[in-house]
Amino acid sequence: MGIEGLAPDPLLLLAAVALDGLIGDPVYRLHPVRLAGGALSGIEAALRRLGLDGHGGGCLLFAVLGALCVGLVAGTAWGLGRLSPALAQLLHLFLLYSLLALRDLLKHGMAIDRAATGGDLAGARQAAARLVARDTAPMDAAGCRRAGMESLAENAVDGFVSPIFWYALLGLPGVVLFKVVSTMDSMVGNRSPRYLRFGWCGARLDDLLNYLPARLTWGLMALVALVLPGCSARKALSVGWRQHGLVPGPNAGWSEAAAAGALQCRLAGPIWQGGERITDLWLGLPGDPEGGRPGDLPRACVFVAATCLGFAGAAAAVLW
């Protein structure tokens, strides 16, 4: 287990992945991410009262929230470890399991497909709105499925691959710190006037911490495409390399474009936001069919699950 039960452990990693697959993300008021979000709101309010609402305040938010969360986890693990190493292991396992989100991601994707396949377009749009920030009202069933496929590919990185990457490198403090940054990005990392400067630190740190995992996911998706029927490793590599820059941000395009190539269909397409059609961009090769046909989203779920589980297995093997 390492010092104070915080070091990465391959058995606990595999057990956490298994628990996520069997149970999914636990939903309760004291969930670690909810606690971090509540602490963030309190610290933000205090900083703003002090007039620290610019770039410096955002950096201070990260320093205080990160120290609080990592310190609390380390202190609790140390205290439990003095009582019983088994209790420290249970805490380690529970926290790691709570900070992975593969099953819930797949569940949200399949909710879109069930509604679309059953002819419930309103339900498909509602389910898609839980995964994407774009307007869903103009979407047809295929557009809803494509949105789900893109979200699966993108969130495979920050919801599963990145947490395990930082866990493997830095143990429990690494995955906790990653989740602190991810929570900051989701809560204050937007470009609204209120958060344009204050949220800069969280948004840029999120880009930084997902940088290597996003590119590892691109390569891993190509490897998975070698063995899954109907997939193309060559297209995953080439489309990911050539088209990742078409997606805003430094990281999301790697997995989204790779998934379009691997699944041999075109993703994205017409996207509306704020009532306006903001792009007609397609990811994928022009000769491939538009994504979103019946069966495409379940295939994407299998592909993303295989990619994530493959990465978890590789990480555990390296740690062994």
Side-chain angles (χ1 to χ4, degrees), residues 230-266:
C231 293
S232 170
R234 177 183 60 81
K235 290 181 181 179
L237 284 174
S238 63
V239 175
W241 179 259
R242 295 175 182 174
Q243 298 187 11
H244 68 270
L246 299 178
V247 179
N251 299 317
W254 287 95
S255 55
E256 289 189 34
L263 296 169
Q264 304 191 81
C265 63
R266 289 183 290 147

Side-chain angles (χ1 to χ4, degrees), residues 63-266:
V64 174
L65 185 62
L68 176 65
C69 292
V70 173
L72 182 61
V73 168
T76 305
W78 177 82
L80 288 178
R82 296 200 60 176
L83 291 174
S84 166
L87 289 176
Q89 287 187 337
L90 284 174
L91 173 70
H92 189 128
L93 174 61
F94 178 74
L95 286 174
L96 183 56
Y97 148 64
S98 298
L99 300 178
L100 301 177
L102 178 58
R103 180 186 171 105
D104 277 25
L105 176 62
L106 299 174
K107 182 174 72 174
H108 287 312
M110 287 307 298
I112 298 173
D113 190 69
R114 282 194 302 271
T117 301
D120 180 9
L121 183 55
R125 290 169 173 166
Q126 186 177 31
R130 298 189 185 101
L131 287 177
V132 296
R134 69 193 67 164
D135 296 347
T136 58
M139 290 182 183
D140 58 10
C144 290
R145 290 193 184 100
R146 284 197 303 274
M149 295 167 74
E150 295 153 35
S151 185
L152 284 170
E154 178 186 358
N155 287 299
V157 177
D158 56 16
F160 195 87
V161 174
S162 284
I164 290 179
F165 177 85
W166 290 107
Y167 173 76
L169 278 183
L170 301 174
L172 204 55
V175 68
V176 169
L177 201 59
F178 172 79
K179 281 297 182 178
V180 165
V181 170
S182 182
T183 302
M184 286 180 61
D185 182 56
S186 64
M187 292 183 66
V188 303
N190 61 70
R191 293 182 174 273
S192 67
R194 178 177 174 82
Y195 289 117
L196 185 61
R197 296 190 305 143
F198 187 79
W200 174 87
C201 179
R204 297 294 74 77
L205 283 174
D206 188 73
D207 289 342
L208 178 64
L209 294 187
N210 282 300
Y211 188 88
L212 285 177
R215 286 145 184 83
L216 285 173
T217 303
W218 164 59
L220 187 57
M221 282 182 166
L223 289 176
V224 169
L226 279 173
V227 298
L228 284 186
C231 293
S232 170
R234 177 183 60 81
K235 290 181 181 179
L237 284 174
S238 63
V239 175
W241 179 259
R242 295 175 182 174
Q243 298 187 11
H244 68 270
L246 299 178
V247 179
N251 299 317
W254 287 95
S255 55
E256 289 189 34
L263 296 169
Q264 304 191 81
C265 63
R266 289 183 290 147

